[in-house]
Amino acid sequence: MSTDVAVRVEDKLFYNRYQVDPGRAHIKVRPHTTPSPQLKALLKACPARCYELNDSGQVEITVDGCIECGTCRVIGEASGDIEWSYPRGGYGVLFKFG
Amino acid sequence: MIEERFDAIVVGAGMAGNAAALTMAKRGMKVLQLERGEYSGSKNVQGAILYADMLEKLIPEFREEAPLERHLVEQRFWMLDDKSHVGLHYKSDDFNEEKPNRYTIIRAQFDKWFSSKVKEAGATVLCETTVTELAQDAYGKVIGVKTDRRDGEIHADVVVLAEGVNGLLGTRAGLRDRPKPENVALAVKEMHFLPRETIEARFNLKGDEGAVIEAAGTISRGMTGMGFIYSNKECISLGIGCLVSDFQKTGETPYGLLERFKQHPSVAPLIEGSEVKEYSAHLIPEGGYNAIPQLCGDGWVVVGDAAQLNNAIHREGSNLAMTSGRIAAEAIFQVKSRRDPMTKENLALYKKMLEESFVIKDLKKYKDMPALLHNQSQNFFLTYPQLVSKAMQNFVRVDGTPKKEKESSMLRSFVNARSWTGLFGDAFKFARAWR
Ligand SMILES: Cc1cc2nc3c(=O)[nH]c(=O)nc-3n(C[C@H](O)[C@H](O)[C@H](O)COP(=O)(O)OP(=O)(O)OC[C@H]3O[C@@H](n4cnc5c(N)ncnc54)[C@H](O)[C@@H]3O)c2cc1C
Ligand code: SF4
């Protein structure tokens, strides 16, 4: 059990329903050259794995799979690393069960 | 701007918001409730155990209409190491009573029903509307809200902030800080569907009886956290949560923890062959009494998770949310009935009434618990579960070792891992925090 299990988050998100709001990302990452410790933590802590490292080593976000938990805000908003809002009314994740 | 003026605006249609809107609408107040989801419940995540008493105070006949899953007859607590669990199970036929005390529910469905009651009581409920900011006058008094709809400023005498754990609006308006990583847990959850009979057989249940399991131990890998497995009619809710600060520190992934929890030999057989239909995540306030922010001010009150009213030790949140929502509404109604203005001084009645209720009394009782579990997470969530499991195995395995030797080796393993002072210290601190 101590060995790490491989998990494909994309498969998990596939179960969910979303109403995507094209061109209106509700979370933004502040432009940077090297990521802060907070931004690096988001690569692992986001339950939908919305944060990824790009080829030149910066943290990027794709909000389409976001499940709106607020974890990244709690970690990264105070330091100014990210800007966080809820999606517009009616958009975003639509839980059937919750 | 919407010209119409309301007695009260409620932000959020979760447990707290619905309780507040219902209570005020029933008293004849002109209430507007705003919810960002497609419908009430479509953004909300919970285990979920519903405590009947608090809902009964709002809707006495709820058992006949609400979408309830199973009434709980059994509670299991499991302490896990990697391969075993030591369990404490309590099952009683007493819980098969006419008016059961606890039920499992599915939040998206339950909230939708709850919201229909709010509408019946006469409140205006506007969904698919995100409140973006509070509207304040030059003196900082809250006079209404701004929304993402066109011409979206709406005015009211008082705003009830029932916006849930993130409490974005309150932070934006400078009414309170954003939650700190050490005061909130991130929980991830899946819904596992199975035929009804399979669930009943695996949990040893008859008809609509239900069982729930709370699990702690090495599954959280030394972080402060807990897993849960709740039986619904045709599905099992399974999830795990740990403090955000611990995720930040350890670099563990939430889905990695969830997967390992599912693969635990005590858990896997319960969900074997199930079809997963949803993956969700949500924060839980865990800071307890010391994390409660200002509860009211000029033109506003805050209720439920947004006020961090959550008893993590007992996994109670929605009942505190419903109760704080109801009490805030009653206080507002009293102020209004006296024709007094909705000032901080007058709305302090809500705070006073809440302090007299179980909500604040319970949170006060456990005020030292969050810090204790947080600072000692390695011991409480890793070392002790491993030691207890080893001791149990030692106790039940018959291998020709004399019992006396077994006992002293068990004791030695505890002392080696934690030292005498450590053991006594932990026991003492735990007892004091529980008192
Ligand atoms: C995994 C998990 C398991 C849990 N298990 C239990 C349990 O078994 N028993 C229990 O009693 N409690 C449990 N809880 C806690 C419980 O879910 C919460 O305490 C409860 O939901 C709080 O209710 P609330 O109304 O304050 O917040 P919420 O239910 O979160 O409602 C907030 C509402 O406000 C809306 N909103 C937020 N911001 C805006 C905005 N700007 N504009 C418009 N609308 C907005 C949201 O969409 C949402 O509908 C659990 C929590 C989790 C995460
Ligand atoms: S809100 Fe939650 S799911 Fe969305 S990006 Fe942030 S951490 Fe990920």
Side-chain angles (χ1 to χ4, degrees), chain A residues 2 4-5 12 16 47 49 68-69 73 77-78 84-91 93 95-98, chain B residues 36 39 42-44 106 108 130 148 166 171-172 178 189-190 221 254-255 259-260 263 276 278-279 283:
Chain A
S2 50
D4 264 304
V5 279
K12 290 189 185 297
N16 297 347
R49 217 162 80 194
E68 299 165 30
C69 64
R73 169 175 175 250
E77 193 189 57
W84 196 94
S85 292
Y86 285 117
R88 273 199 298 163
Y91 289 92
V93 71
F95 290 127
K96 286 179 296 230
F97 308 106
Chain B
R36 65 189 191 87
Y39 55 86
S42 72
K43 297 288 186 184
N44 300 343
I106 295 174
T130 300
D148 63 352
N166 282 306
T171 312
R172 279 187 182 161
R178 86 175 58 70
K189 177 189 166 191
E190 281 178 355
R221 308 200 123 192
Y255 34 87
E259 238 24 54
R260 270 195 304 274
Q263 288 171 13
V276 180
E278 194 166 82
Y279 169 67
L283 295 179

Side-chain angles (χ1 to χ4, degrees), chain A residues 86, chain B residues 11-18 34-37 39-51 107 111 129-133 162-165 167-169 185 187-189 214 228 230 239-240 281-285 303-307 309-310 314-322 324:
Chain A
Y86 285 117
Chain B
V11 181
M15 289 289 192
N18 283 339
L34 301 166
E35 164 60 45
R36 65 189 191 87
Y39 55 86
S40 162
S42 72
K43 297 288 186 184
N44 300 343
V45 179
Q46 192 182 326
I49 302 174
L50 172 80
Y51 304 95
R107 272 299 291 274
D111 287 14
T129 308
T130 300
V131 177
T132 49
E133 242 181 290
E163 47 173 335
V165 55
L168 194 61
L169 300 174
V188 284
K189 177 189 166 191
E214 307 287 352
F228 62 89
Y230 295 169
I240 184 165
H282 205 277
L283 295 179
I284 308 178
V303 295
D305 273 10
L309 302 173
N310 201 297
H314 286 270
R315 269 216 197 279
E316 291 177 30
S318 62
N319 53 332
L320 279 67
M322 270 190 259
S324 57

